[in-house]
Amino acid sequence: MSAQTASGTVGKASGWSMLWGIVMLFCGMLAIIMPLATSIAVVLLLAWLILFAAVSHLIFAFHTHGIGGVLWQILLALLYGAVGVYLLMKPLLGVVSLTLVAAVFLLCEGVIELIFYFRIRHVRRAGWVLVNGIITLILGILIWAQCPASALWVIGTLVGISLIFSGVSRLMLSATIRHLSPA
């Protein structure tokens, strides 16, 4: 492969990556503008993924040897199927449930970060771990205390923020790659 071909390939790939970064940035802003719609979309996507897993367990049941394995896979398929259908039928309750899961996750993460800080507090700049733990813990408490009202914005806003940061980082990395590739 010649240097010119490699350069063209890198330029083309970084161009597509930049476009993807812009799309992610735009979708992130849209998610923050419409957090409830985004939250519902996340729950519906999750519901379909769970239903796909239910079908996978059902298919796997017929490839499993032994009655115990078959029954276990069928029970899992039924459980996944029931949860998936429930989330499709009641997406707002799914949003509330997902918000509570996020609150519990943040509470646990905050506590773990605080414990970690006390184990490494003698290390230089360990204070950042303490700050992270405190902020994460406060965020978890706020989401938990405001639930179910916080369900209207939490999931969509978090997805939006993640998409924005992913889009910006992709744009910056793509620009760097494009800049570093030979002309």
Side-chain angles (χ1 to χ4, degrees), residues 145-169:
Q146 296 297 316
C147 205
S150 61
L152 299 174
W153 60 269
V154 167
I155 303 301
T157 302
L158 292 175
V159 167
I161 291 168
S162 177
L163 282 169
I164 287 172
F165 276 95
S166 294
V168 168
S169 66

Side-chain angles (χ1 to χ4, degrees), residues 9-136:
T9 304
V10 168
K12 192 174 188 178
S14 66
W16 281 110
S17 184
M18 288 179 103
L19 178 64
W20 186 243
I22 292 167
V23 168
M24 291 174 79
L25 195 59
F26 177 75
C27 289
M29 287 188 254
L30 213 59
I32 289 175
I33 291 169
M34 302 184 316
L36 182 58
T38 303
S39 299
I40 291 171
V42 167
V43 167
L44 292 175
L45 177 64
L46 184 62
W48 283 108
L49 289 173
I50 291 170
L51 284 173
F52 177 75
V55 171
S56 297
H57 277 289
L58 198 55
I59 291 169
F60 190 67
F62 295 106
H63 296 286
T64 303
H65 301 289
I67 192 72
V70 171
L71 287 176
W72 182 251
Q73 291 300 320
I74 290 173
L75 286 174
L76 283 175
L78 291 173
L79 175 65
Y80 278 50
V83 169
V85 168
Y86 182 78
L87 288 175
L88 284 175
M89 295 175 68
K90 306 275 188 185
L92 285 176
L93 287 176
V95 170
V96 173
S97 300
L98 199 53
T99 301
L100 287 172
V101 167
V104 169
F105 173 79
L106 291 169
L107 288 167
C108 292
E109 182 185 1
V111 168
I112 290 168
E113 290 286 340
L114 291 174
I115 292 168
F116 182 57
Y117 164 74
F118 286 108
R119 299 209 52 201
I120 66 160
R121 66 180 174 262
H122 60 280
V123 175
R124 187 172 182 206
R125 295 192 176 109
W128 286 107
V129 175
L130 177 64
V131 170
N132 181 34
I134 291 170
I135 290 172
T136 303

Side-chain angles (χ1 to χ4, degrees), residues 137-153:
L137 192 60
I138 290 171
L139 186 58
I141 290 168
L142 288 173
I143 293 170
W144 182 271
Q146 296 297 316
C147 205
S150 61
L152 299 174
W153 60 269

